[in-house]
Amino acid sequence: WDGSPTERLRRAGRRANIIHKNSDRILKAHPFAGQVGVLHDMKMYRLSMVEGYHNPKKNYCMSTRDNSMMILKDAGFSMEYLMDSHLFDGTMSRFKALLIPFCPFVTPAIGAALREYVKNGGVVITEAAFALKDHYCVQYWQKTPGAGLDEVFGFRAVDMLVLEDGDQMILNNGTRLESASD
């Protein structure tokens, strides 16, 4: 091979050029506008894999995302998946409600965007485990949900990660607390 571009490479370049020239139209197209936004940020999803939430026994990431889609569909709502960038570029404001299934990792910036969204009338629906750690996998140990989201939900928990599946805690009076996982 003499290093010159192949015909296959030229065709790929032409396709890329067309996509690039029309990227604004492609990225902003909403043929089936959703009524509810569903946050599924791949960066946070990868952290879930690293932390062990994504394995044959605990497949929380995929099952909660798929189940949330089915629940919304069964209830008659159309939905659109959102990434964290959509929380900052104004896309989120198109939705009256934002569903956040299984999101134990929330950055301070995402927390601020969600607080502003709720302040402006939006509804955030989430599930535990939510905002347990930041984007560096550092636990919000003082209060959960972290990232200032205790203000949004009006409650806080301390040490939410104390119990894992099958664990139990024995209090000073002998009472046994079973795990509330799953």
Side-chain angles (χ1 to χ4, degrees), residues 54-104:
H54 203 41
N55 62 53
K57 292 183 180 178
K58 292 184 192 178
N59 193 5
Y60 299 135
C61 300
M62 290 305 290
S63 61
T64 56
R65 187 199 70 172
D66 294 343
N67 291 342
S68 65
M69 181 189 72
M70 294 306 294
I71 289 169
L72 290 170
K73 185 162 180 56
D74 288 348
F77 293 100
S78 60
M79 45 80 58
E80 286 183 38
Y81 285 118
L82 304 175
M83 299 183 307
D84 68 338
S85 60
H86 294 126
L87 304 181
F88 308 118
D89 70 3
T91 302
M92 179 175 56
S93 64
R94 289 195 295 113
F95 304 100
K96 292 183 181 178
L98 179 64
L99 177 63
I100 308 176
F102 191 73
C103 188

Side-chain angles (χ1 to χ4, degrees), residues 124-170:
V124 173
I125 305 163
T126 189
E127 65 176 338
F130 178 67
L132 300 178
K133 298 181 180 184
D134 67 11
H135 53 301
Y136 297 116
C137 297
V138 175
Q139 187 173 348
Y140 291 116
W141 61 272
Q142 293 170 323
K143 55 186 172 182
T144 303
L149 291 166
D150 56 319
E151 300 167 16
V152 171
F153 292 101
F155 84 97
R156 72 181 180 104
V158 179
D159 295 332
M160 189 177 272
L161 291 177
V162 169
L163 300 177
E164 287 291 327
D165 294 343
D167 289 350
Q168 52 180 281
M169 180 184 287
I170 302 173

